[in-house]
Amino acid sequence: MQYVIFLLAFAASAALPGPEIAALLSRSLSGGLRSSLPLAGGIIIGKLIMLSAAVIGLSALLAILGPAFVTLKYAGAAYLIWLGAKKWRKAGKALAGATETPAASAGVEIGLGLAMTITNPLAIAFYMALLPGVINVAGVTLSSYLILCAIIIGVMLAIVVAYGLLAELARKLFRSSRAKTSLERASGGMMVGVGIMLATR
């Protein structure tokens, strides 16, 4: 029963529109579902780190990160704003080698997803509030820890696919060059917005 409660609470929290979901949606709108996978991978890794930190002790994680916590946040925000501005500027223009961009920047995208997640104060508050009340953190065994990890991975993959399919549908509905330009600008605007949210939260 405790795992069902955790699954429902985590799914409700993770699916709500926020910086992470906006970034995933923006990526899917501009390059399709596949282009959002590296970012999604980083977000999932970040959520697993937060779960592990909650089991070990969140205060220990914050003490280890120290100033790097703030640096990660601002670096991620600056990158998103730069990427969004670039996308807005080049909306509607055919870019040579555009199909290679997701693969070439996969490491950066994973790092961005990771930074966005572990610097999210709402994620920290979520785990601090939920875990002690639902899961006996002190009595977590390897098997129960792996079940929690599987729940997080499964829920996040379902969310990524759901938002990705919505974005794919939007891309198919707006096939004209003018509509594609508008979609790319919307995607760029979302990235800038996510960067600002990340920097100011």
Side-chain angles (χ1 to χ4, degrees):
M1 186 63 182
Q2 60 183 353
Y3 298 118
V4 175
I5 295 170
F6 178 80
L7 186 152
L8 293 174
F10 179 77
S13 169
L16 287 174
E20 293 161 5
I21 295 299
L24 285 169
L25 193 54
S26 172
R27 262 284 170 242
S28 295
L29 277 172
S30 61
L33 175 59
R34 186 179 293 181
S35 71
S36 70
L37 295 180
L39 181 67
I43 292 170
I44 291 170
I45 292 167
K47 291 190 181 297
L48 293 175
I49 288 173
M50 295 305 294
L51 171 69
S52 304
V55 172
I56 296 166
L58 284 167
S59 56
L61 174 70
L62 293 176
I64 291 165
L65 286 175
F69 188 86
V70 178
T71 306
L72 270 174
K73 180 174 89 163
Y74 288 118
Y79 175 71
L80 277 170
I81 291 169
W82 173 80
L83 205 60
K86 182 180 174 185
K87 190 170 287 297
W88 178 277
R89 238 180 23 254
K90 298 190 176 184
K93 297 176 186 174
L95 298 176
T99 53
E100 296 171 14
T101 304
S105 61
V108 175
E109 291 287 303
I110 291 169
L112 178 63
L114 177 60
M116 285 176 63
T117 304
I118 66 171
T119 60
N120 183 355
L122 293 177
I124 296 167
F126 172 81
Y127 286 107
M128 287 181 74
L130 180 70
L131 279 179
V134 177
I135 307 290
N136 178 14
V137 178
V140 168
T141 62
L142 179 60
S143 62
S144 58
Y145 171 75
L146 291 175
I147 290 169
L148 293 173
C149 288
I151 288 170
I152 288 172
I153 293 168
V155 167
M156 285 308 299
L157 287 176
I159 289 168
V160 168
V161 170
Y163 277 104
L165 290 175
L166 280 174
E168 289 282 3
L169 180 62
R171 281 160 58 86
K172 286 176 183 175
L173 289 174
F174 301 98
R175 287 180 181 270
S176 72
S177 59
R178 186 175 177 180
K180 283 182 180 177
T181 299
S182 298
L183 267 180
E184 286 174 14
R185 284 187 175 158
S187 171
M190 285 173 70
M191 281 189 182
V192 171
V194 170
I196 292 167
M197 281 194 292
L198 189 60
T200 55
R201 71 183 177 186

